[in-house]
Amino acid sequence: MTSGTRLLLIGPPGAGKGTQAAKLSEALGVPAISTGDIFRHNVKNETPLGVQAKAFMDAGDNVPDSLTNDLITDRLEQPDCSEGFLLDGYPRTTDQVRHLDGFLAEHGTSLDVVVQLVADADVVVERLRKRALEQGRSDDDESVVRHRLEVYEEQTAPLIDVYGGRELVVAIDGLGEITEVTRRIMDQLAARGISGS
Ligand code: AMP
């Protein structure tokens, strides 16, 4: 596990992380890994992990760190991650940051960049309202959305400072056309010497 790009996408729910993760995964040639998608898949298939995660997800709370950290260890040990990866929605807590740091150190590697997608609360609430109608995600209900935003502010927003202290963060305006936002990100990555494979 050495060459390749390792990046994180951080931002509030509804900032467009999933959409941009797919674009960047293609452009950079690394797998996009969404802990939210993995949890939803497990919930749908009623696996033991899904059964444990469901109540937390429906309430808009974070799934406990122990479950999430085990899940990400398993995923990052898959061969497709050996040349880099993009994490969407992980880490979300300082405990998860510690876990990821330990994992990467054990594998003799480290993060290259943390992309912060910036979008204000009114915009994300409106986007998620639309997504609720289109996709019917149970955690896109308006009161749950508000709670997810609070959880983001309390538990995840502080990570920007943690990674900022390591000079890893690039902040990107998440408003605008999808392709325009992708271009902004790719420009900032290029300025750091990171480009597509
Ligand atoms: P997302 O698709 O990233 O918005 O995640 C949907 C839900 O999955 C979250 O509201 C949490 O309940 C759960 N989840 C996803 N990623 C994590 C994580 N890193 N830590 C804890 N819970 C998570």
Side-chain angles (χ1 to χ4, degrees), residues 156-167:
T156 307
L159 307 191
I160 311 267
D161 283 344
V162 173
Y163 287 122
R166 303 182 194 176
E167 299 189 347

Side-chain angles (χ1 to χ4, degrees), residues 138-167:
S138 54
D139 60 351
D140 279 343
D141 169 87
E142 183 151 352
S143 65
V144 179
V145 163
R146 299 255 172 220
H147 182 62
R148 285 163 63 208
L149 281 168
E150 283 166 15
V151 170
Y152 174 81
E153 285 305 325
E154 276 167 26
Q155 301 191 29
T156 307
L159 307 191
I160 311 267
D161 283 344
V162 173
Y163 287 122
R166 303 182 194 176
E167 299 189 347

Side-chain angles (χ1 to χ4, degrees), residues 16-143:
K17 295 189 299 297
T19 305
Q20 292 303 326
K23 301 274 180 205
L24 296 173
S25 164
E26 198 178 330
L28 298 168
V30 293
I33 297 164
S34 155
T35 41
D37 281 350
I38 298 173
F39 280 132
R40 277 185 289 279
H41 180 80
N42 278 275
V43 169
K44 195 166 156 223
N45 291 300
E46 298 179 357
T47 67
L49 176 66
V51 170
Q52 283 180 285
K54 187 176 186 324
F56 296 100
M57 296 176 74
D58 284 348
D61 285 317
N62 283 335
V63 176
D65 288 326
S66 55
L67 293 177
T68 312
N69 287 333
D70 284 352
L71 174 156
I72 209 75
T73 299
D74 284 352
R75 183 63 189 89
L76 292 181
E77 281 177 341
Q78 301 298 311
D80 65 328
C81 294
S82 63
E83 296 297 316
F85 52 76
L86 183 167
L87 293 180
D88 157 14
Y90 182 96
R92 258 176 159 90
T93 65
T94 49
D95 183 79
Q96 293 178 16
V97 171
R98 273 193 297 277
H99 180 81
L100 181 63
D101 284 344
F103 177 91
L104 294 173
E106 264 173 38
H107 290 79
T109 188
S110 57
L111 292 174
D112 296 299
V113 64
V114 174
V115 175
Q116 177 194 4
L117 267 187
V118 181
D120 69 34
D122 290 347
V123 173
V124 302
V125 168
E126 178 55 22
R127 281 189 185 173
L128 293 173
R129 200 183 58 77
K130 284 202 188 124
R131 187 169 77 184
L133 295 173
E134 287 162 14
Q135 299 180 9
R137 255 178 68 168
S138 54
D139 60 351
D140 279 343
D141 169 87
E142 183 151 352
S143 65

